[in-house]
Amino acid sequence: MSGSSADPTGGRGGDPGKLQAVRDRLDRVEDPELARSIVELDYIDAIEVDGDRVEVRFTLPTAWCSPAFAWMMATDARDEVEGLDWADEARIELCDHMHGAEITAGVNARDSFGETFPDADGGVAEVRAAIADKARVSTQRDAVDALLDAGVDPEQVVALDRSDVDVAGDEAHVDLGGLSVVVDADPVADYLDRVETSGHVTGPDDTLFLTPEGDPISAERLDVVQKRSRLASVNMGGQGAVCDALHRARHGPDGPDGSGASYVDQSGDGLSAYDGDVDEFTSTWTLSSDD
């Protein structure tokens, strides 16, 4: 199979419409550590469509990226592609990874992560849940900051239910008991997506903002919760910076598409100092912070 990260639909033959449909499906697969699409991150090397069979090759920033994360991306890619009504089989190949052969074989054989890595400490489900919760906490911080910056009081923030917030276009409308406050939709919509997907908020009367443990927040504790949430943002931003640097080392300073654009947000404090070791299977950094 041929192709490149600059043109990942460059496989042998294949209907252009089907190739684009596969690419659109892969765009729904996220790097769990960065919460960014594997298409956006230029991980896709090639896509090949042969009738009802699809082959996808992808490469991560380094050969030693977490096997658990690589497994999640590979299985998610397989499941997304096979969700197409015309695709009966998807074969996913992880390239240039220290466990690429095992992950490729295990994913395509429909084995479990535990069957492929019997010595792993914990399964993918636990890792996926932990990463999803970290993303929930991180996006909550951004949403709460947007409300506070708009003049919403801490007492009003912690009293909000799901029914009090409505996203329409590029605006989020927050009902404060007859008074409506409008803020940028992006941070609020991102948080709503995470908190509803995680199951923490499912009904209109559910409390919208929660502690990392999933409990209601008192107004007096909101600042503390925001500081704790900052750790999740620093964690994800720090690891994103590492991945970005390694990705550029592989492809050159201009990146795989020649744009020179970084996929790490360097506008905020997400790149604060950190130290610690990376566990091979969970890739969790131990952070040092005064907060």
Side-chain angles (χ1 to χ4, degrees), residues 245-265:
L246 295 173
H247 204 50
R248 287 167 178 274
R250 177 188 291 269
H251 293 289
D254 291 331
D257 62 355
S259 68
S262 168
Y263 57 73
V264 175
D265 180 5

Side-chain angles (χ1 to χ4, degrees), residues 1-11 23 26 37-47 56-61 95-96 247-248 250-252 254-259 263:
M1 181 167 44
S2 62
S4 70
S5 58
D7 182 18
T9 59
R23 183 177 173 83
L26 294 174
S37 159
I38 63 173
V39 172
E40 179 186 359
L41 295 171
D42 293 303
Y43 291 175
I44 304 301
D45 296 321
I47 300 168
V56 176
R57 295 174 59 193
F58 76 108
T59 303
L60 300 177
C95 305
D96 298 333
H247 204 50
R248 287 167 178 274
R250 177 188 291 269
H251 293 289
D254 291 331
D257 62 355
S259 68
Y263 57 73

Side-chain angles (χ1 to χ4, degrees), residues 4-244:
S4 70
S5 58
D7 182 18
T9 59
R12 296 194 302 269
D15 178 87
K18 287 186 174 182
L19 289 170
Q20 186 59 50
V22 172
R23 183 177 173 83
D24 290 343
R25 282 283 181 159
L26 294 174
D27 197 34
R28 297 162 60 172
V29 177
E30 290 186 344
D31 181 321
E33 200 166 27
L34 302 178
R36 302 282 294 277
S37 159
I38 63 173
V39 172
E40 179 186 359
L41 295 171
D42 293 303
Y43 291 175
I44 304 301
D45 296 321
I47 300 168
E48 181 178 338
V49 176
D50 183 8
D52 59 5
R53 188 172 185 271
V54 179
E55 293 193 25
V56 176
R57 295 174 59 193
F58 76 108
T59 303
L60 300 177
T62 75
W64 55 89
C65 285
S66 162
F69 290 170
W71 183 275
M72 281 186 263
M73 285 180 267
T75 55
D76 287 352
R78 181 197 66 201
D79 294 344
E80 284 291 346
V81 173
E82 291 185 350
L84 293 165
D85 56 10
W86 53 264
D88 289 343
E89 179 186 1
R91 182 182 184 278
I92 310 298
E93 181 179 354
L94 174 60
C95 305
D96 298 333
H97 190 278
M98 64 180 178
H99 294 294
E102 299 101 303
I103 291 173
T104 296
V107 167
N108 292 308
R110 268 58 176 182
D111 292 336
S112 69
F113 183 77
E115 290 172 324
T116 303
F117 296 102
D119 295 329
D121 183 13
V124 167
E126 292 88 346
V127 176
R128 191 186 292 273
I131 292 298
D133 210 46
K134 184 167 67 172
R136 172 184 66 87
V137 171
S138 178
T139 55
Q140 173 173 294
R141 177 193 176 225
D142 294 337
V144 169
D145 279 347
L147 296 181
L148 294 173
D149 289 345
V152 182
D153 294 334
E155 292 82 1
Q156 295 171 318
V157 170
V158 301
L160 291 173
D161 294 335
R162 175 61 185 90
S163 61
D164 294 324
V165 178
D166 179 56
V167 176
D170 59 359
E171 295 180 343
H173 298 260
V174 183
D175 183 2
L176 301 176
L179 174 65
S180 181
V181 174
V182 179
V183 299
D184 179 40
D186 287 345
V188 176
D190 287 347
Y191 173 66
L192 291 176
D193 179 61
R194 299 289 176 181
V195 77
E196 290 172 351
T197 299
S198 70
H200 285 80
V201 172
T202 58
D205 297 328
D206 288 348
T207 301
L208 188 57
F209 297 115
L210 306 165
T211 68
E213 294 77 24
D215 300 320
I217 309 169
S218 67
E220 296 76 15
R221 298 286 294 173
L222 181 60
D223 184 57
V224 174
V225 171
Q226 285 296 91
K227 287 183 177 180
R228 291 181 63 193
S229 300
R230 176 178 176 273
L231 294 178
S233 299
V234 172
N235 186 305
M236 298 182 78
Q239 293 184 69
V242 173
C243 287
D244 189 49

